[in-house]
């Protein structure tokens, strides 16, 4: 294997995907965003990788995972970290099989109990005592997490409790960067954990209100309260047209796009 093919992400966060659960363009849609020639309006499902001191961390496994990893030349993943158990953040897990083959062992998977239960149900074939011979299964080793900080690949990770409609989900802080996708409410106890950020990655679904995601105005209000040097919006629908919305955003607030990298300060 030619290692020069693969990227060095040390000290960086790479946005693998920045789109909502159906991605952008949306199947069957002919709106201006879905038919745009601007590549920044092409969004796969939201996920990211971070280059930590001890290796590469993947946040969520979307149904677009294989194409995301190939597109960005990611050849190794040392651990997986989950925000929550929804389909667009979990159901690409089977795509890590080649990474398991290459490493020769299981990949540590850090998640809450609800996520583990979803994975064990959706990928039950991977946990059979005598797997059926065939194309192989994703080999993973669960590491249960809560809201307590923990060490992962040589970095301190601070879980951030968030609300996603009626669901409890997690964001994460790495040094001076916080990653908060799929949320429409930040509990009182979480706000102090967002102080002193350099970079905030934040859910922003669309201009109009939604029962489980921040709207554009709500996300801007959160960004202003957190007051990070830089805020980048993710998990966007086709109602967010990159050029038009970007031009109207306040200073220090941006729309992320697939393939964008940002430094992770303080790790």
């Amino acid at each position: 294997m030619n290692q020069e093919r693969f990227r060095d992400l040390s000290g960086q966060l790479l946005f693998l995907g920045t789109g909502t659960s159906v991605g952008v363009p949306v199947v069957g849609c002919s709106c201006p965003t879905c038919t745009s020639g601007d590549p920044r309006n092409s969004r796969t499902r939201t996920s990211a990788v971070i280059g930590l001191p001890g290796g590469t961390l993947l946040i969520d496994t979307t149904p677009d995972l294989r194409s995301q990893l190939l597109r960005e030349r990611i050849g190794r993943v040392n651990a997986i970290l989950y925000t929550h158990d929804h389909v667009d953040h979990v159901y690409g897990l089977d795509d890590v099989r080649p990474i398991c083959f290459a490493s020769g062992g299981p990949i540590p998977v850090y998640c809450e109990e609800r996520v583990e239960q979803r994975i064990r149900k959706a990928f039950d074939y991977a946990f059979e005592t005598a797997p059926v011979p065939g194309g192989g299964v994703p080999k993973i080793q669960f590491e249960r997490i809560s809201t307590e900080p923990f060490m992962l690949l040589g970095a301190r990770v601070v879980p951030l409790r968030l609300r996603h409609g009626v669901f409890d989900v997690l964001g994460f802080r790495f040094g001076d960067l916080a990653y908060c996708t799929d949320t429409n409410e930040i509990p009182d106890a979480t706000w102090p954990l967002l102080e002193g950020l350099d970079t905030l990655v934040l859910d922003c679904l669309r201009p109009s209100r939604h029962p489980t995601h921040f709207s554009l105005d709500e996300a801007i209000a959160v960004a202003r309260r957190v007051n990070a040097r830089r805020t980048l919006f993710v998990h966007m629908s086709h109602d967010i047209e990159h050029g038009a919305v970007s031009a109207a955003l306040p200073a220090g607030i941006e729309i992320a796009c697939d393939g964008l990298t940002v430094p992770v300060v303080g790790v």
Side-chain angles (χ1 to χ4, degrees):
M1 182 178 295
N2 182 0
Q3 295 299 323
E4 294 181 357
R5 289 181 52 205
F6 303 123
R7 297 176 64 168
D8 179 5
L9 291 174
S10 300
Q12 299 178 80
L13 179 143
L14 166 65
F15 293 95
L16 291 176
T18 56
T20 187
S21 59
V22 296
V24 182
V26 178
V27 173
C29 183
S30 57
C31 77
T33 304
C34 289
T35 57
S36 169
D38 187 341
R40 298 173 300 179
N41 283 321
S42 181
R43 305 178 185 124
T44 54
R45 269 65 74 92
T46 291
S47 61
V49 287
I50 302 182
L52 298 177
T56 300
L57 174 65
L58 172 63
I59 303 178
D60 293 337
T61 56
T62 81
D64 298 312
L65 182 60
R66 176 180 176 274
S67 61
Q68 291 172 335
L69 295 178
L70 288 172
R71 185 194 72 213
E72 300 300 338
R73 298 185 289 116
I74 307 300
R76 176 179 291 275
V77 170
N78 300 100
I80 301 171
L81 179 64
Y82 281 105
T83 58
H84 64 299
D85 68 323
H86 287 170
V87 167
D88 55 319
H89 292 260
V90 171
Y91 274 36
L93 179 61
D94 195 71
D95 285 347
V96 306
R97 285 186 296 138
I99 295 171
C100 298
F101 300 157
S103 68
I107 297 178
V109 168
Y110 292 77
C111 63
E112 293 191 282
E113 180 180 5
R114 180 185 177 93
V115 181
E116 179 178 342
Q117 291 175 350
R118 172 70 64 188
I119 290 172
R120 288 187 179 276
K121 182 176 181 180
F123 301 93
D124 59 336
Y125 58 88
F127 304 100
E128 295 175 352
T129 54
V132 176
V137 297
K139 297 182 183 299
I140 60 177
Q141 174 182 319
F142 286 110
E143 302 288 346
R144 190 74 59 80
I145 61 174
S146 63
T147 55
E148 292 298 316
F150 61 98
M151 295 300 295
L152 174 54
L153 298 177
R156 184 173 186 264
V157 180
V158 180
L160 306 169
R161 174 59 70 209
L162 305 171
R163 294 288 292 167
H164 182 31
V166 300
F167 300 101
D168 280 337
V169 301
L170 288 176
F172 302 100
R173 180 167 180 163
F174 309 86
D176 293 335
L177 179 146
Y179 185 87
C180 301
T181 185
D182 286 59
T183 181
N184 68 325
E185 180 184 345
I186 300 176
D188 290 342
T190 300
W191 284 104
L193 302 176
L194 296 172
E195 294 177 357
L197 287 179
D198 177 81
T199 304
L200 171 63
V201 178
L202 183 64
D203 179 291
C204 178
L205 183 70
R206 64 189 191 189
S208 59
R209 291 178 63 89
H210 189 274
T212 63
H213 293 272
F214 281 132
S215 68
L216 180 59
D217 286 345
E218 290 168 336
I220 290 172
V222 170
R224 284 175 166 157
R225 178 172 172 179
V226 172
N227 196 31
R229 181 185 65 84
R230 185 182 190 188
T231 296
L232 298 119
F233 290 155
V234 294
H235 211 286
M236 295 161 293
S237 75
H238 62 168
D239 295 315
I240 301 285
E241 198 287 316
H242 191 102
V245 175
S246 293
L249 289 175
I253 302 177
E254 308 167 45
I255 295 176
C257 60
D258 291 23
L260 177 68
T261 61
V262 296
V264 183
V265 178
V267 173

